[in-house]
Amino acid sequence: MTVPAAPPSEPTAGEPDPTRHFLTVDDLGAEGLRQVLALSHRAKRDPASFRGALPGGRVGMIFDKPSTRTRVSLEAAAWGLGMLPIVLRPDELQLGRGETIADTARVLSRYLSALTIRTFAQATVEELAAHSTIPIVNALTDEHHPCQALADVMTLEEEFGSLAGSRIAYVGDGDNVCHSLAQAAALYGFRFIIAAPPGYEPDPAILAEARRVAVETGGEIVVTNDPLAAVEGVDAVYTDVWTSMGRETEQAARRESFAAFVVDAALMARAARHAICLHCLPAHRGEEVTNAVIDGGQSRVWDQAENRLHTELALIYTLITGDAAGDLVGGS
């Protein structure tokens, strides 16, 4: 029996040149983002057409932080493509004993078709990418969560179709999720209103770049400290936990600072009648969002979580093959 070889890390003559890495949403560019999302919708609509599309491929998955959705969705996406997912914990790698990130990248590039990593510093994924000959996927850092943003925009498209002229409010901490959403809004050209308490606004440099891109696409990035004004008439209200991994010592202070930023029925009532609620999960129920909202008729949180699988499958396929249009897979 002949075992199929893993997809090559470099395209051969006549094949499309793949995007090398996905470290931030900006790495895709506006057209690349639309192509990945179009392929994501197709993968959800017709998963059988992607089944076994990359037989013999191998996806490494480094998890320096705990995970539910990222771990399971990435592993399921790899299996869906016919690939072997190899999950690696920090205590299973020589990184913990002093091997450099660069050396780890060079070695893993010889074994794998792609590598995903969920870690702390954005600099870590950037260094991996600088020394890898395979695509690197940022599965979350303290600064960005681009895989989540893909699922978020897909969910919005499912609900509203075209996002031209849409207004999306983000209520809470200007964190990694907020950063990636701001980049997605800028590339897609919709209005993104961020409501955060003073001192918890997004990174100014990331905001500045997103606003520069938004000028070209017709989008807009707005920051305010007033959650009521932010959600007035919007199409969707998005929230995230107030205290994420690594900031547990700030929990009491954050609860006080974010007390007026709860997404409850009263806040949702200020949004448009058709507005939906989104949350990247896990949720601290009764803190940043109430049970009535997350379990209510406006919630699209579970669709949003499911869409992590479809967007990551499309992303991995695109990064490895360069076939952004999905011409090499069956179905329609």
Side-chain angles (χ1 to χ4, degrees):
M1 177 180 177
T2 301
V3 179
S9 58
E10 295 292 343
T12 58
E15 293 183 343
D17 184 19
T19 301
R20 298 313 304 154
H21 307 297
F22 184 60
L23 311 187
T24 71
V25 174
D26 279 350
D27 285 342
L28 289 177
E31 182 60 23
L33 177 59
R34 292 177 188 278
Q35 288 177 323
V36 167
L37 288 167
L39 210 59
S40 301
H41 288 292
R42 179 175 160 191
K44 185 173 185 176
R45 185 174 63 249
D46 183 19
S49 66
F50 287 85
R51 194 164 297 140
L54 296 176
R58 298 172 291 274
V59 181
M61 302 176 182
I62 298 176
F63 285 93
D64 290 336
K65 290 186 176 188
S67 171
T68 299
R69 279 147 296 278
T70 301
R71 162 72 188 271
V72 178
S73 61
L74 279 170
E75 192 163 346
W79 276 109
L81 290 167
M83 306 181 78
L84 172 67
I86 304 174
V87 177
L88 302 164
R89 300 193 314 268
D91 61 335
E92 296 175 325
L93 293 169
Q94 294 295 342
L95 281 168
R97 297 177 59 187
E99 184 170 39
T100 67
I101 293 172
D103 285 354
T104 299
R106 293 182 182 106
V107 169
L108 292 181
S109 292
R110 300 298 181 103
Y111 302 145
L112 304 172
S113 311
L115 175 66
T116 73
I117 178 167
R118 181 180 176 95
T119 189
F120 296 89
Q122 183 72 15
T124 299
V125 298
E126 291 172 356
E127 187 171 356
L128 276 172
H131 298 280
S132 294
T133 57
I134 57 172
I136 302 298
V137 174
N138 179 359
L140 178 142
T141 64
D142 291 343
E143 193 170 319
H144 292 277
H145 198 354
C147 289
Q148 180 64 52
L150 292 180
D152 299 339
V153 177
M154 180 180 178
T155 308
L156 290 167
E157 284 188 326
E158 286 181 325
E159 189 70 24
F160 303 117
S162 171
L163 298 184
S166 294
R167 294 177 296 167
I168 313 302
Y170 177 93
V171 179
D173 187 18
D175 58 7
N176 51 2
V177 171
C178 183
H179 291 156
S180 291
L181 279 169
Q183 291 186 338
L187 290 173
Y188 242 69
F190 59 83
R191 194 165 193 254
F192 188 53
I193 307 106
I194 302 160
Y200 294 96
E201 297 91 346
D203 183 279
I206 294 173
L207 273 181
E209 177 60 17
R211 283 170 168 157
R212 184 193 67 76
V213 173
V215 169
E216 302 172 3
T217 63
E220 186 180 11
I221 315 295
V222 177
V223 179
T224 178
N225 300 127
D226 185 349
L228 299 180
V231 303
E232 195 68 43
V234 299
D235 302 296
V237 178
Y238 195 120
T239 190
D240 190 7
V241 294
W242 297 339
T243 307
S244 55
M245 292 174 286
R247 296 188 175 94
E248 285 74 14
T249 58
E250 304 173 17
Q251 189 164 15
R254 282 174 172 263
R255 280 179 177 169
E256 183 177 349
S257 297
F258 285 86
F261 290 76
V262 180
V263 177
D264 55 16
L267 191 77
M268 289 298 299
R270 300 180 73 95
R273 289 176 62 86
H274 61 260
I276 62 173
C277 175
L278 300 175
H279 193 307
C280 57
L281 300 176
H284 292 171
R285 290 166 171 262
E287 211 169 89
E288 76 277 357
V289 66
T290 62
N291 287 338
V293 171
I294 197 171
D295 294 327
Q298 292 173 288
S299 175
R300 298 296 182 272
V301 169
W302 317 116
D303 297 327
Q304 182 185 4
E306 177 191 341
N307 287 339
R308 290 290 304 275
L309 167 61
H310 307 302
T311 51
E312 287 159 4
L313 184 150
L315 176 71
I316 291 170
Y317 174 84
T318 300
L319 291 176
I320 290 175
T321 66
D323 178 28
D327 293 333
L328 304 180
V329 292
S332 58

